[in-house]
Amino acid sequence: MSSDTTRQQTATADDQITRIILEAREQAYQETDHEPEPGLTAKVEWPVTCTVGPGLEGAIACESKIGYVNGSKGWLIYRGYDIFDLCAYSSYEEVAFLLLHGRLPKAREFDAFKTTLFRRMYIPETQRLLLSFPVQDMNPMAALRLGTNLMRQKQTYRDRQLEEERGRLIATDEDSIPMETRPTGKRRPVFQFISSMLRRGAAPEPDVLVGSDEIASCYNLIAGVASIAATIGRVREGRIPIEPAPDLSFAGNYLYMLTGRRPTPLEERVMDVCLILHADHGMNASTFASMVVASTLSDIYLAIGSGISALSGPLHGGANVEVIKMLDEIGSPGAVSKWYRAAQEEKKKVMGFGHRVYKAYDPRARILGPLAKLLAAESGHASKLYATAVALEKEVVASLGEKKKIFPNVDFYSGIVYECMQIPAELYTTIFAVSRVAGWCARVIEYLANNRIFRPRAIYTGSFNEEYVPVEKR
Ligand code: CMC
């Protein structure tokens, strides 16, 4: 394909997606116009008084300048910027910089940051170590956590050394799997990457960006978690990892390293928007988990590993996988009413609906819904999923929208978008993690600047004065 054609396709995809996002923004503003403006953030005097419900609902854990979620207006704001504007005009790399550094990058910094992320996607030693585990049989989120913790060992040491030695490594691509030159009794092929491409045109590691070891570790994590997630996807398909391509964006490289196919401009742009949408979201469970671990002065790799664990559950990031299972189980738009009646009788929660904070439509779902519609139009299975999802949304919102303020959340349509990109459902939550690592890192770094170990209390409701009885007398 000529570069003119590619440029043309990229421009068309950009225009199309930007239009969809701006329409969603317009609709969001109109629908929540009547909601009162929130009293914007005031200076907090500690200790702060708040009403705390079960699950720490309402508890205030810290101050933060990183992001803001307003549940009644349906606002999601990163560092002062509206999520709709970021999705329409920015990129994941820029958003990751914004979250971490607190401001948008200048042009030189942005180029340097993109180069830095690209170079740090190159983690052959971590990938090789990961492949010595049965990754293909593991839950992908468990494998992602494992890979992240392995990166702590490898990326801080061996992968950095390898960067210096690149020219001497053996080339590998999908067609030529080099076997061990000296048998060591392992069944797996040994693979290594060649990275002459990485060197070409790569700017030196930009000093301005690396403010501290922690920030450098954040760059490692943002880039490395994407490489590990892609590796897990490939290994599950019986394939070996692919090194990143220097001319692709972060989103494009993630897709390329996962599928082995260069994404179309539309796919690259849609994945970029998905990554922006998932990058941060207040004091959600996985962010809090990362912060709790970091607050013990453990290290940031272990903290992010905890975030991955917390995200994996079906009440949090794992819901996107459950949504697709549910839509498949329902089968068709015509079967929605019967399925939903049964779900109500069983008091079953509908996956992809409801939120602790949003009492209006989740702005992320406002964007993902139309993106799913656009992509699903081209695909048989996804278009059925999409039609079923629309029918289900109608039913659930009609019965619970007004009454309980329950609307679709970010996970309701994201799976359909990924399905259209032919990404296996088991990997959806890993995509959430690839993106959210930027938010986790930013919040951990911010909290550590003024660290105090997290240590809430439980109300003891157990008994007192029990008399100890020796085991043989019980
Ligand atoms: N379907 C049906 N009813 C629901 C749902 C749902 N998805 N979510 C909440 N409710 C009802 C719930 O039954 C309860 O009703 P009642 O007051 O009569 O007992 C009321 O709404 C409050 O629910 P809750 O479980 O106390 O709310 P929560 O703030 O503790 O939980 C939630 C929030 C997201 C865990 C919950 O809405 C849920 O389980 N949703 C389904 C799973 C899901 O989609 N998770 C993704 C969340 S968004 C992405 C992310 O950040 O992780």
Side-chain angles (χ1 to χ4, degrees):
M1 199 186 299
S2 80
S3 57
D4 274 356
T5 317
T6 310
R7 257 197 301 277
Q8 179 64 37
Q9 284 182 347
T10 306
T12 311
D14 272 348
D15 287 351
Q16 200 174 16
I17 302 299
T18 305
R19 210 171 37 247
I20 285 175
I21 294 162
L22 295 179
E23 278 167 19
R25 179 179 72 176
E26 204 44 47
Q27 195 185 0
Y29 288 174
Q30 275 173 17
E31 283 180 19
T32 57
D33 197 32
H34 61 281
E35 293 289 343
E37 288 284 318
L40 293 173
T41 48
K43 182 85 196 102
V44 178
E45 292 296 337
W46 294 91
V48 70
T49 307
C50 55
T51 305
V52 179
L56 291 184
E57 181 169 9
I60 294 169
C62 60
E63 293 172 53
S64 176
K65 291 185 163 52
I66 291 169
Y68 176 59
V69 182
N70 185 284
S72 52
K73 293 291 261 182
W75 285 354
L76 173 56
I77 286 165
Y78 299 166
R79 300 274 191 191
Y81 296 90
D82 188 311
I83 194 68
F84 289 107
D85 291 347
L86 291 172
C87 286
Y89 306 120
S90 185
S91 64
Y92 178 72
E93 293 93 318
E94 198 175 47
V95 164
F97 185 100
L98 173 70
L99 290 170
L100 271 177
H101 292 280
R103 60 177 172 80
L104 291 170
K106 298 202 166 66
R108 243 189 79 246
E109 287 172 323
F110 190 36
D111 283 347
F113 185 60
K114 285 191 283 193
T115 303
T116 293
L117 287 188
F118 168 66
R119 290 173 65 149
R120 288 168 191 240
M121 280 181 146
Y122 177 78
I123 50 167
E125 279 291 295
T126 304
Q127 287 164 308
R128 192 189 344 235
L129 190 58
L130 182 63
L131 295 196
S132 65
F133 292 87
V135 170
Q136 65 283 0
D137 302 326
M138 292 174 73
N139 171 301
M141 289 297 277
L144 191 63
R145 180 185 175 135
L146 170 66
T148 305
N149 287 351
L150 293 174
M151 189 163 59
R152 173 179 186 266
Q153 176 72 11
K154 286 293 174 187
Q155 180 139 24
T156 49
Y157 164 58
R158 185 73 183 130
D159 277 337
R160 289 301 103 207
Q161 282 185 352
L162 276 178
E163 218 179 276
E164 308 306 317
E165 296 170 13
R166 274 176 189 158
R168 291 198 273 120
L169 297 179
I170 306 162
T172 283
D173 58 36
E174 286 216 79
D175 301 324
S176 68
I177 301 178
M179 303 305 290
E180 293 170 280
T181 46
R182 266 171 301 149
T184 58
K186 290 190 187 126
R187 275 185 298 134
R188 280 175 194 286
V190 168
F191 68 91
Q192 289 182 317
F193 299 99
I194 193 159
S195 52
S196 51
M197 276 199 314
L198 291 177
R199 281 194 174 167
R200 210 184 310 140
E205 189 90 326
D207 291 349
V208 273
L209 296 181
V210 184
S212 64
D213 283 352
E214 280 85 11
I215 290 279
S217 298
C218 295
Y219 298 164
N220 288 342
L221 278 158
I222 292 169
V225 168
S227 296
I228 295 167
T231 300
I232 293 164
R234 290 191 70 70
V235 172
R236 290 173 68 85
E237 304 265 306
R239 295 167 187 272
I240 61 169
I242 298 178
E243 69 176 44
D247 57 327
L248 288 174
S249 66
F250 186 88
N253 253 322
Y254 166 67
L255 279 172
Y256 169 62
M257 290 162 74
L258 175 66
T259 63
R261 178 177 64 76
R262 291 178 71 84
T264 63
L266 183 66
E267 288 170 330
E268 191 172 3
R269 173 82 159 102
V270 169
M271 181 52 75
D272 193 47
V273 170
C274 291
L275 295 180
I276 295 173
L277 285 174
H278 288 86
D280 185 63
H281 207 250
M283 290 294 286
N284 57 85
S286 57
T287 298
F288 189 50
S290 302
M291 290 171 63
V292 169
V293 171
S295 81
T296 68
L297 298 185
S298 161
D299 72 52
I300 194 155
Y301 290 91
L302 296 175
I304 298 313
S306 308
I308 291 170
S309 304
L311 186 69
S312 66
L315 295 188
H316 194 5
N320 53 16
V321 183
E322 300 303 317
V323 168
I324 296 296
K325 282 191 207 156
M326 176 183 74
L327 294 175
D328 269 330
E329 180 193 313
I330 297 172
S332 69
V336 161
S337 294
K338 187 166 168 229
W339 181 91
Y340 184 52
R341 262 197 313 279
Q344 282 178 306
E345 273 161 29
E346 290 169 37
K347 298 206 176 315
K348 219 170 151 175
K349 281 196 175 165
V350 188
M351 287 292 134
F353 283 85
H355 201 273
R356 175 65 65 79
V357 182
Y358 289 120
K359 299 303 161 206
Y361 208 105
D362 184 332
R364 303 167 298 175
R366 279 193 197 274
I367 293 176
L368 288 165
L371 291 185
K373 182 179 180 186
L374 174 79
L375 298 186
E378 310 276 310
S379 137
H381 180 229
S383 86
K384 200 164 170 195
L385 287 177
Y386 178 75
T388 308
V390 170
L392 182 60
E393 176 182 337
K394 238 181 178 166
E395 295 259 355
V396 177
V397 172
S399 74
L400 300 178
E402 261 311 296
K403 198 161 91 190
K404 293 195 184 170
K405 303 287 176 206
I406 285 176
F407 299 96
N409 60 46
V410 66
D411 289 320
F412 191 56
Y413 286 106
S414 62
I416 301 176
V417 171
Y418 304 144
E419 159 79 20
C420 295
M421 294 191 207
Q422 289 152 30
I423 299 174
E426 318 84 71
L427 301 182
Y428 296 169
T429 315
T430 63
I431 305 175
F432 198 151
V434 165
S435 162
R436 183 58 61 85
V437 70
W440 292 330
C441 284
R443 293 203 179 241
V444 161
I445 296 287
E446 181 186 58
Y447 190 74
L448 286 178
N450 224 342
N451 185 49
R452 189 158 192 233
I453 190 167
F454 281 108
R455 208 313 186 177
R457 293 188 323 165
I459 298 171
Y460 180 67
T461 57
S463 58
F464 290 93
N465 302 325
E466 297 279 2
E467 190 181 335
Y468 182 82
V469 180
V471 67
E472 59 282 5
K473 295 204 176 145
R474 283 174 220 158

